[in-house]
Amino acid sequence: MSEEKIIKEKDPWFSPRNFKLLKNPLNLENPVTVQVLGICSALAVTVQMKPAIVMALSVTVVTAFSNLIIALIRDTIPSRIRIIVQLVVVAALVIIVDQLLKAYVYDVSKKLSVFVGLIITNCILMGRLEAFAMANKPWPSFIDGIGNGLGYGAILVIIAFFRELLGSGKIYGFDVIPKAFYEAGYVNNGLMILPPMALMTIGVIIWIQRSKNPVLQEDN
Amino acid sequence: MENLFNLFVRSIFIDNMIFAYFLGMCSYLAVSKTVKTSMGLGVAVTFVLLITAPVNWLVDTYMLKAGALAWLSPELADLDLSYLSFMIFIAVIAAMVQLVEMAVEKFSPSLYNALGIFLPLIAVNCAILGVALFVQEREYETIGEVTTYAVGSGLGWFLAIVSLAAIREKIRYSHIPKALRGLGIAFILTGLMAIAFMSFMGIKI
């Protein structure tokens, strides 16, 4: 993987290489659909757009800053205890995010329930810390964190969009399907709100993405 | 007793860790290629849950909750440490997994060999932390309830991963559209199984 190469010191802040770090996770190296990381908490919060967006932002913030912090102290961490150090850094950041959510968007924080805490064991974090932040300078690591957080968030928001639209006829809490439709016999698909359809939706997203990018296809 | 049995059945079939909450999906998808390895992981997860969930519950009840430290000295009665719970839980889990690993290696080398690499990996399995957090959120009251819930969730996870592995072994020679192979079909299979498990919804004993 090209992004794993160590980035030279003299790169300007927004060099093409750094830009690539931001852009690649959105499609070709998407953490959810390609690297298969962080699915645990990705699906349960996608019934509506609002919790999904809050969750995506929280994960982006935590990945970006944990990448930054680990990259800053990477030379001083003894490699035998690095997992514990990483977990502590991540847990501290998640506690901050959790307290902020409780303070400012209490209703969403109640809806996310345990899934904010589960950001700690979100594999995206450990994956990026191990694969990228431990070997790169702080700034590229920060960008990599933002990129991966956004890649994860993009999938989350896409799934939430379809589940909310088809399941309850709303987008971000606003009714979008006109009353005339319901009067003509249109019914919301209640199955979309239930857990199985999150799995199906992500399966279909992977299908579409892989038929557009044959590089990603598996040989079984 | 009836209550415990009800909770047990609920946690296996209705509140299934995989099909209802998607917890532990990462290892669920990565390790479900053969039945044998998935069984090893399933057993290991159940085992670790059985130990970590009660320990985390004890820590939460007697150290972290608001006023939980009152048994230590009356001055600490209005202390609320619950904001520390994430960090303590993950530390307890990591430490317990390490301890369990050493204990299993000493007392049952055959089980240790069978579980192999999966034991240390369990520390970052979302299902373990998930159970600890669910126990905290739903405020289970006795250690019996917590243990029952933990074992039930573990068995539910075991059931889910073994059945997915069995199906994936069977479909190895099927004609699946190229772009859907591997990960895509695994998700859709899990979705179909989740629909099947939905038929347990509302069962009460």
Side-chain angles (χ1 to χ4, degrees):
Chain A
M1 270 193 259
S2 61
E3 56 150 14
E4 241 88 326
K5 275 184 206 153
I6 292 166
I7 283 150
K8 275 183 213 142
E9 205 169 344
K10 281 184 184 160
D11 271 353
W13 278 31
F14 286 103
S15 63
R17 225 194 229 140
N18 281 348
F19 186 65
K20 227 171 135 195
L21 286 179
L22 195 62
K23 202 187 68 183
N24 266 357
L26 288 180
N27 187 12
L28 284 181
E29 280 162 21
N30 191 288
V32 179
T33 60
V34 182
Q35 304 178 51
V36 208
L37 298 174
I39 302 155
C40 322
S41 58
L43 298 171
V45 296
T46 52
V47 178
Q48 292 167 328
M49 292 276 277
K50 204 173 169 194
I53 289 174
V54 172
M55 183 72 181
L57 286 178
S58 318
V59 170
T60 311
V61 169
V62 176
T63 25
F65 283 98
S66 60
N67 260 5
L68 178 70
I69 293 171
I70 292 293
L72 279 172
I73 58 173
R74 68 182 190 281
D75 296 328
T76 55
I77 305 175
S79 72
R80 293 194 61 182
I81 58 157
R82 65 182 195 284
I83 304 271
I84 303 279
V85 175
Q86 289 164 0
L87 275 178
V88 169
V89 168
V90 171
L93 284 166
V94 170
I95 289 175
I96 295 173
V97 167
D98 182 49
Q99 298 288 325
L100 282 176
L101 289 183
K102 273 191 187 137
Y104 291 105
V105 277
Y106 189 72
D107 54 325
V108 178
S109 144
K110 266 271 159 273
K111 250 183 217 151
L112 291 175
S113 74
V114 301
F115 292 97
V116 179
L118 286 174
I119 298 177
I120 300 173
T121 46
N122 194 321
C123 334
I124 294 181
L125 286 159
M126 298 302 282
R128 291 330 289 171
L129 291 178
E130 275 288 294
F132 199 90
M134 287 301 283
N136 283 288
K137 295 227 165 293
W139 176 245
S141 305
F142 186 68
I143 301 217
D144 180 76
I146 292 187
N148 277 285
L150 290 179
Y152 165 90
I155 299 293
L156 224 64
V157 171
I158 294 173
I159 300 174
F161 175 79
F162 284 111
R163 284 182 79 188
E164 193 177 2
L165 179 66
L166 300 175
S168 41
K170 292 175 181 174
I171 291 177
Y172 203 78
F174 299 107
D175 296 298
V176 283
I177 295 188
K179 273 235 167 69
F181 273 48
Y182 289 108
E183 277 155 19
Y186 176 83
V187 184
N188 286 328
N189 183 354
L191 192 60
M192 285 305 281
I193 302 178
L194 296 168
M197 289 317 282
L199 293 161
M200 297 282 199
T201 319
I202 198 170
V204 173
I205 290 176
I206 292 174
W207 189 2
I208 295 169
Q209 193 198 16
R210 292 197 175 175
S211 38
K212 297 227 162 179
N213 305 294
V215 212
L216 299 175
Q217 288 171 8
E218 293 172 48
D219 306 328
N220 212 1
Chain B
M1 208 48 219
E2 212 170 276
N3 175 30
L4 285 189
F5 190 65
N6 197 10
L7 185 69
F8 186 64
V9 173
R10 247 195 99 80
S11 57
I12 296 182
F13 293 107
I14 303 164
D15 288 343
N16 188 291
M17 276 291 135
I18 295 280
F19 298 133
Y21 296 109
F22 317 105
L23 294 180
M25 281 301 266
C26 307
S27 37
Y28 174 74
L29 290 168
V31 190
S32 60
K33 294 213 166 102
T34 59
V35 172
K36 213 178 153 214
T37 46
S38 64
M39 267 191 167
L41 186 65
V43 171
V45 165
T46 315
F47 189 60
V48 172
L49 269 176
L50 169 68
I51 293 169
T52 56
V55 172
N56 270 332
W57 180 80
L58 286 175
V59 170
D60 188 42
T61 321
Y62 292 107
M63 280 171 67
L64 299 176
K65 260 189 198 161
L69 279 173
W71 58 273
L72 208 58
S73 87
E75 292 147 42
L76 298 173
D78 50 355
L79 202 60
D80 182 3
L81 291 178
S82 52
Y83 61 90
L84 277 180
S85 55
F86 294 159
M87 207 181 260
I88 305 281
F89 283 175
I90 194 75
V92 167
I93 289 170
M96 287 314 290
V97 168
Q98 200 84 61
L99 275 180
V100 167
E101 196 188 349
M102 288 193 285
V104 171
E105 190 181 9
K106 181 124 182 33
F107 295 114
S108 167
S110 59
L111 181 65
Y112 181 77
N113 285 333
L115 296 180
I117 176 81
F118 302 127
L119 256 183
L121 272 184
I122 290 171
V124 286
N125 188 323
C126 325
I128 313 285
L129 185 63
V131 166
L133 293 176
F134 273 129
V135 165
Q136 188 193 30
E137 194 188 73
R138 293 179 188 166
E139 292 168 356
Y140 289 127
E141 270 161 18
T142 62
I143 199 158
E145 275 181 38
V146 174
T147 319
T148 316
Y149 176 66
V151 174
S153 305
L155 285 180
W157 203 88
F158 174 84
L159 199 66
I161 193 170
V162 172
S163 33
L164 180 69
I167 298 177
R168 281 180 94 168
E169 275 189 2
K170 284 276 172 208
I171 62 165
R172 194 162 297 153
Y173 303 106
S174 323
H175 292 287
I176 303 161
K178 245 200 155 138
L180 203 54
R181 276 183 198 168
L183 192 58
I185 196 72
F187 269 116
I188 292 183
L189 281 175
T190 317
L192 289 173
M193 284 200 285
I195 292 183
F197 266 67
M198 267 169 53
S199 56
F200 291 114
M201 223 180 249
I203 288 182
K204 258 200 154 176
I205 294 163

